[in-house]
Amino acid sequence: MKLIFLGAPGAGKGTIATAVSKEYGIPQVSTGDLFREAVKNGTELGQRVKGIMERGELVPDEVTVDLVRERLSRPDTAAGYILDGFPRTVPQAEALAGFQRLDAAINFKCGDEVVISRLSGRRVCRSCGAIYHVKNIPPRREGVCDRCGGELYTRDDDRDESIRNRLRVYREQTEPLISFYRRKSELREIDSAQSVEDSIRQLRPVLQALRKRS
Ligand code: AP5
Ligand code: MG
C-alpha cells in the first residue's frame, strides 16, 4: 500500500504512522524525521534546513522532492510505504505523481485548539524518535523513553511562535492538497481529534479496503 498521511502539524500523523507501519509492515517515511536527522548529524542538508525548520517554514520543494525520490528508490519501499508529512505543497504533489502511483491520501482532521495543546506538550526521544505527550501519552518515567531509555526533548519548532507559523503555513500551502487529492478520488478522511486507538480503529477498514483493491 502506498499511502500519504496529510494533516495539520500535531494532527497525529507521526503517531499513527508509527503504529500503522508496525501493524502492516510498511516503512514510515517522514520528511520531518529525515530533516531532523540531517540537522542532528550536522550534514550539509542539515545546515541548510535548520533555521527554516526552527522558524516553522517549509524547506524548498526541489530539496524535499529530491530527498523523497532518493528514499523511495530504496528496495524497502517497493511494496508500500507511508509518506508522513510529504507532500506539503501542490508542486510537491505534482512532482510525486510524476514518479509514484498512490493508493490513497489519508487526511487526519483535528481542530486548532487540540493541535496547539498537543504540540505544546509533545516530547520526542533523541535516540529513537518515539513520540510522547506530557499529559496525553506520558512516558512511564518522566523525560525517559519507554522504548529505548533515551532522553526526551522538546522539538525546536514546538515553541509558541513557531507553532503559530506552522499552522499559518499549513493553511496557505498544505491545506489545498485536500482538494487536490479529492479531485483525483484518492482522498480518505479520519477524525484524529479522538484517541490514538479510536483513530486507528477508524482507519483499519479504510486500509483493508485499499489492500483488497491493490
Ligand atoms: P514535521 O516533522 O512533518 O512536522 P509537522 O507537519 O509540523 O507535523 P508534526 O510532526 O508536528 O505533527 P504530527 O501530525 O506528526 O503529530 P504527532 O504524531 O507528533 O515537519 C517539521 C518541519 O520539517 C516542517 O515545519 C518543515 O520545516 C520541514 N518539512 C517536513 N516535511 C516537509 C515538506 N514536505 N516540505 C517542506 N518542508 C518540510 O503528535 C503531536 C503530539 O500529539 C504528540 O505529543 C503526540 O503524543 C500527541 N498525540 C498524537 N495523537 C494524539 C491523540 N490521538 N490523542 C492525544 N494526543 C495525541
Ligand atoms: Mg510528525
Side-chain angles (χ1 to χ4, degrees), residues 34 148 159:
L34 293 172
C148 75
R159 321 255 172 223

Side-chain angles (χ1 to χ4, degrees), residues 74-111:
R74 296 199 216 151
D76 66 320
T77 61
Y81 50 74
I82 301 167
L83 279 176
D84 158 19
F86 178 92
R88 251 193 173 71
T89 64
V90 171
Q92 288 180 14
E94 285 168 344
L96 180 69
F99 65 95
Q100 290 287 315
R101 212 184 59 78
L102 297 173
D103 289 302
I106 319 268
N107 182 36
F108 294 93
K109 293 195 295 186
C110 198

